[in-house]
Amino acid sequence: MVNRLHKAALTGDEIFATGMRDQWHAVCPSDFVARGDMKKIRRLGEDWLLFRQSDGTLRMLADRCPHRGAPLSQGQHLGDRVACQYHGVQVDGGGTVVSVPGMPGCNLEGKRLVTSLPVQEVAGAVLAWFGTDPDAEPAPLGLPERLTDDGISHFLCYAEWKAPWRFTLENLLDPMHGAFLHRESHSMFGGETSAKFRIRETDRGFFFEKTDQRGVNFDWVEFCRTGIDWVDLEIPYPPTAGPGGSFGIVGMGTPIDAETTAVFFWRYRRVEGWERDVWRFLYRTKLEERHWVVLEQDRTMLEAMAFDADQAENLYQHDLGVIRLRRLYRAQAEAQAKALQEA
């Protein structure tokens, strides 16, 4: 059994700050790790090693040698295993010690002593299961249909923002900011600057939507929990932006630590045949740059906010989605902390 005592000390506040456990999270773009390469990353406040085996299989290990705790990421890639630089201890992709060159046959060999996370690669991104019990099977992963539908074409946009993960998700559960922060953009200049909202329940989460405007601006967002948390939204496009109708976004935010977030945005449109080629050409040559301008507006705003900005708020009806999200995550964090203490 893999040692998980360091996770038992997590409090509800720590989980709320560094991310929910016992669910899937987006980790990084797949092309971050080429075949035969290794990459150190930090996610949910912990250090990890991603390494792609010689056969192309991606592995994710805690970045800590089971011998003396040295970082495996400073070691040597040996095809299907990693050798620690400190004393040469070799660990395979499942976290099992396969060789101790300094003392062959010692009792470390054959034991699974390093946490190894289940991973999947989907739509150009690495997804990993962050479980509190490394011996338990991960929950089923329900993928956003926008990323699996052959009739939809998408591009992955990845960035790292110096803002708490909850700020990035709350930004997406706040459609009204589009009419102000992004009003000068190519896609969110229309519509009213006042609105009424409602929450509409679904079997996988909820919609937060305007009741008096649709198809004009950033008018709705759906928050989904399908083993992984994600949001879906659509923003109307003018005819000059080419075929495909509204422009959609599937968004995820994964905590790097309590103050930094890895953000993932899949930008999509429903296009097939020659229209698909036109959309992808327009995106690369014209629209992508405009989209980054909008994202930079979000990043600049969120990074400028104080870490404890949510402790001095005065909320109103437009913030129902944000309030709902916070209550959900706070309750989950406290429940997970309690389960860890009881374990």
Side-chain angles (χ1 to χ4, degrees):
M1 176 178 291
V2 176
N3 189 324
R4 61 188 178 100
L5 291 179
H6 66 290
K7 293 183 179 178
L10 289 173
T11 66
D13 286 341
E14 289 169 335
I15 294 173
F16 188 69
T18 60
M20 302 300 110
R21 273 60 175 180
D22 290 333
Q23 66 182 56
W24 294 85
H25 288 277
V27 172
C28 67
S30 288
D31 60 12
F32 270 28
V33 191
R35 183 173 299 198
D37 282 350
M38 305 194 301
K39 185 178 182 66
K40 178 175 183 174
I41 63 171
R42 187 167 180 80
R43 295 294 183 271
L44 275 65
E46 299 184 73
D47 292 328
W48 303 92
L49 169 66
L50 284 170
F51 81 99
R52 197 176 292 278
Q53 298 177 174
S54 54
D55 65 358
T57 303
L58 187 68
R59 300 289 193 170
M60 187 168 177
L61 297 172
D63 191 24
R64 183 176 298 186
C65 178
H67 172 218
R68 293 279 302 282
L72 290 172
S73 57
Q74 293 189 15
Q76 183 179 7
H77 193 300
L78 297 179
D80 64 348
R81 64 189 67 179
V82 175
C84 179
Q85 187 178 28
Y86 204 13
H87 297 92
V89 174
Q90 297 178 18
V91 180
D92 69 13
T96 298
V97 177
V98 293
S99 177
V100 181
M103 190 175 184
C106 84
N107 63 0
L108 294 183
E109 294 182 346
K111 292 182 179 179
R112 188 165 65 92
L113 299 174
V114 180
T115 298
S116 174
L117 301 188
V119 297
Q120 294 191 38
E121 295 188 74
V122 176
V126 177
L127 311 182
W129 168 261
F130 290 79
T132 53
D133 182 354
D135 297 309
E137 290 295 316
L141 172 60
L143 298 172
E145 59 272 16
R146 312 292 193 180
L147 305 184
T148 59
D149 188 333
D150 291 337
I152 293 177
S153 179
H154 53 74
F155 294 90
L156 171 60
C157 166
Y158 173 80
E160 296 181 5
W161 291 354
K162 296 179 181 179
W165 70 275
R166 64 187 188 277
F167 286 11
T168 66
L169 281 185
E170 289 171 5
N171 184 66
L172 292 170
L173 265 292
D174 174 19
M176 204 62 210
H177 86 270
F180 293 92
L181 183 61
H182 306 312
R183 191 161 185 81
E184 302 303 319
S185 78
H186 68 293
S187 57
M188 283 182 275
F189 56 85
E192 299 296 327
T193 54
S194 63
K196 294 182 179 179
F197 285 86
R198 69 177 178 183
I199 290 177
R200 178 162 54 91
E201 305 291 341
T202 71
D203 59 358
R204 61 185 185 182
F206 63 90
F207 278 90
F208 187 57
E209 57 193 3
K210 295 176 183 176
T211 61
D212 46 5
Q213 179 175 291
R214 194 77 167 192
V216 179
N217 200 313
F218 178 8
D219 295 332
W220 63 268
V221 60
E222 183 185 10
F223 173 71
C224 305
R225 313 204 80 189
T226 59
I228 188 169
D229 292 353
W230 52 281
V231 300
D232 183 31
L233 61 95
E234 286 187 354
I235 299 171
Y237 252 13
T240 54
S246 293
F247 159 76
I249 295 175
V250 168
M252 300 180 189
T254 301
I256 294 175
D257 52 36
E259 299 182 8
T260 316
T261 306
V263 294
F264 299 77
F265 296 106
W266 285 267
R267 293 146 166 181
Y268 68 83
R269 293 181 88 177
R270 183 171 291 281
V271 282
E272 297 183 274
W274 67 268
E275 291 188 337
R276 185 186 190 95
D277 296 334
V278 171
W279 146 244
R280 296 186 71 84
F281 175 78
L282 280 175
Y283 181 85
R284 288 303 191 195
T285 60
K286 184 177 181 180
L287 300 175
E288 183 175 22
E289 182 178 358
R290 295 178 179 180
H291 296 162
W292 274 108
V293 169
V294 175
L295 275 186
E296 279 297 289
Q297 291 171 340
D298 286 322
R299 182 192 64 79
T300 301
M301 179 61 68
L302 297 182
E303 289 188 349
M305 293 172 64
F307 181 74
D308 61 349
D310 54 355
Q311 301 303 305
E313 297 172 324
N314 296 278
L315 305 180
Y316 53 93
Q317 202 262 353
H318 289 181
D319 305 307
L320 289 176
V322 170
I323 294 169
R324 172 71 174 275
L325 196 69
R326 288 179 185 172
R327 289 176 177 172
L328 183 155
Y329 281 132
R330 175 58 74 180
Q332 183 177 348
E334 294 298 337
Q336 288 185 352
K338 181 179 179 181
L340 284 171
Q341 292 169 1
E342 293 175 349

